[in-house]
Amino acid sequence: MKARRTYRVAGHTFSLVADEERMSRLKLGNYSPFIATDGEDIFCVELVDPFETSGKEAIYLSSPESGEQRIDLYSIDGGYLFGMAPEGNMPVTAWMKCDPGFTHGELMTQDKFRSFAVNNAMMLMYAFRTASLGTLEMHASVTVKDGKGYLFLAKSGTGKSTHSRMWLENIPGTHLLNDDNPVVRFIDGKTIVYGTPWSGKTPCYRNEEYPVGAMVRINRASRNSISRMSLPEAFASVSSSSSGLRAIKGIGDGLFETISRIVQDIPCYLLDCLPNKEAAEVCCSEVTGSNG
């Protein structure tokens, strides 16, 4: 018998379907705050028996040296096929085949990597499916102060999490919303950031939402200074931290439109900084002082 679990993240509802035995073995505590009992799914991921992957054509292959998880993308049978593994230099441990609109995914995986595969499959489907819905799944750390969310953007290993921690340790009245994959939406003329079940190595899964106060790109430097970006600089910064494959026209067009609206709505900054208390104070003083 099939079992279904339904979740809602940033207002978008989706489901996981599997036979009861497979479902009972999954460890998905990070989704508990996002359980939903109603709403129409925008996509569904279903755990299935092994299927054939021959005939695929590569669209994107991740680099084994990247230090990131392995995520490869192929075209197959008029749709798409994802190959996934926990590390970039590992062989594929899970395959997900999905339709062209990313509304239904069929996932097969080794038992050992089942929870990893389900988590990544739903995160990928969410990013691709919502790109045309005024939604960005972002690579960022988000700290909340005075009812506003501040997103810190940077390449992996540059110090997003460290800068958030400097705020938490030195700026009163702050808390962490998400440390790796928040969602940002442009709704009714406002930019809103949401917590998600996906937060990297930091277990922070808050089902909360806040208006965005600012986005700040972190750059390691020998001193602490902050400056506001121009609109083109802001667009490039936000775009580089947003998930989605631009080569797929519907996704690329959706991302372009959403990012364009967001960077005209909220300020974006470049923070040259050290990983210290002063960096948090310099950043907080500027970004909170410029938003009323």
Side-chain angles (χ1 to χ4, degrees):
M1 183 176 292
K2 295 287 186 180
R4 177 181 291 266
R5 294 183 184 177
T6 300
Y7 307 101
R8 185 174 297 116
V9 175
H12 297 305
T13 304
F14 56 94
S15 290
L16 171 68
V17 174
D19 63 58
E20 291 182 343
E21 181 184 3
R22 284 174 173 152
M23 192 75 85
S24 67
R25 293 180 181 179
L26 288 170
K27 297 179 180 179
L28 297 173
N30 49 315
Y31 288 84
S32 295
F34 303 91
I35 292 173
T37 57
D38 59 4
E40 183 177 350
D41 287 348
I42 62 168
F43 72 84
C44 172
V45 172
E46 183 175 2
L47 275 168
V48 299
D49 293 329
F51 54 77
E52 183 60 56
T53 63
S54 62
K56 60 185 181 295
E57 296 183 7
I59 297 175
Y60 170 82
L61 301 178
S62 54
S63 170
E65 293 79 30
S66 67
E68 303 285 328
Q69 296 172 347
R70 178 174 182 173
I71 301 175
D72 300 333
L73 177 63
Y74 304 84
S75 61
I76 188 170
D77 299 333
Y80 298 99
L81 179 70
F82 291 94
M84 298 173 280
E87 297 179 12
N89 58 359
M90 289 180 63
V92 169
T93 60
W95 293 99
M96 180 174 67
K97 184 163 52 177
C98 57
D99 64 303
F102 300 99
T103 61
H104 184 259
E106 295 183 339
L107 176 68
M108 68 170 180
T109 179
Q110 300 174 25
D111 290 349
K112 180 180 178 181
F113 299 102
R114 185 174 291 156
S115 294
F116 155 80
V118 167
N119 199 54
N120 268 347
M122 292 203 287
M123 183 170 63
L124 286 167
M125 287 287 282
Y126 187 98
F128 283 56
R129 177 68 180 90
T130 64
S132 61
L133 302 176
T135 303
L136 302 179
E137 185 182 298
M138 298 197 66
H139 187 45
S141 182
V142 188
T143 299
V144 176
K145 177 173 172 56
D146 297 332
K148 291 185 177 181
Y150 296 91
L151 284 79
F152 305 125
L153 320 178
K155 293 180 179 179
S156 295
T158 303
K160 299 182 301 296
S161 297
T162 298
H163 190 73
S164 276
R165 179 165 54 83
M166 292 299 100
W167 275 56
L168 299 177
E169 293 177 355
N170 299 291
I171 309 297
T174 59
H175 75 265
L176 188 68
L177 175 64
N178 186 277
D179 203 34
D180 196 51
N181 288 106
V183 164
V184 175
R185 296 189 66 184
F186 188 78
I187 303 177
D188 298 328
K190 297 180 180 179
T191 305
I192 310 296
V193 62
Y194 301 80
T196 74
W198 314 297
S199 190
K201 297 178 181 178
T202 304
C204 184
Y205 313 114
R206 297 177 182 269
N207 190 1
E208 301 173 2
E209 63 184 79
Y210 299 92
V212 174
M215 295 189 187
V216 182
R217 179 153 293 276
I218 305 297
N219 182 51
R220 279 283 164 257
S222 58
R223 63 186 183 89
N224 298 312
S225 66
I226 187 169
S227 58
R228 185 162 177 173
M229 293 181 176
S230 66
L231 283 178
E233 291 170 334
F235 184 94
S237 177
V238 177
S239 181
S240 67
S241 292
S242 302
S243 299
L245 191 65
R246 277 79 172 162
I248 299 174
K249 189 177 187 303
I251 292 176
D253 290 349
L255 293 174
F256 181 90
E257 182 177 353
T258 303
I259 295 169
S260 296
R261 291 178 174 177
I262 285 173
V263 298
Q264 293 178 73
D265 179 54
I266 55 108
C268 297
Y269 296 87
L270 175 64
L271 176 68
D272 292 319
C273 66
L274 294 160
N276 60 15
K277 174 183 177 181
E278 183 192 55
E281 293 172 339
V282 167
C283 181
C284 181
S285 175
E286 178 68 20
V287 301
T288 60
S290 64
N291 294 283

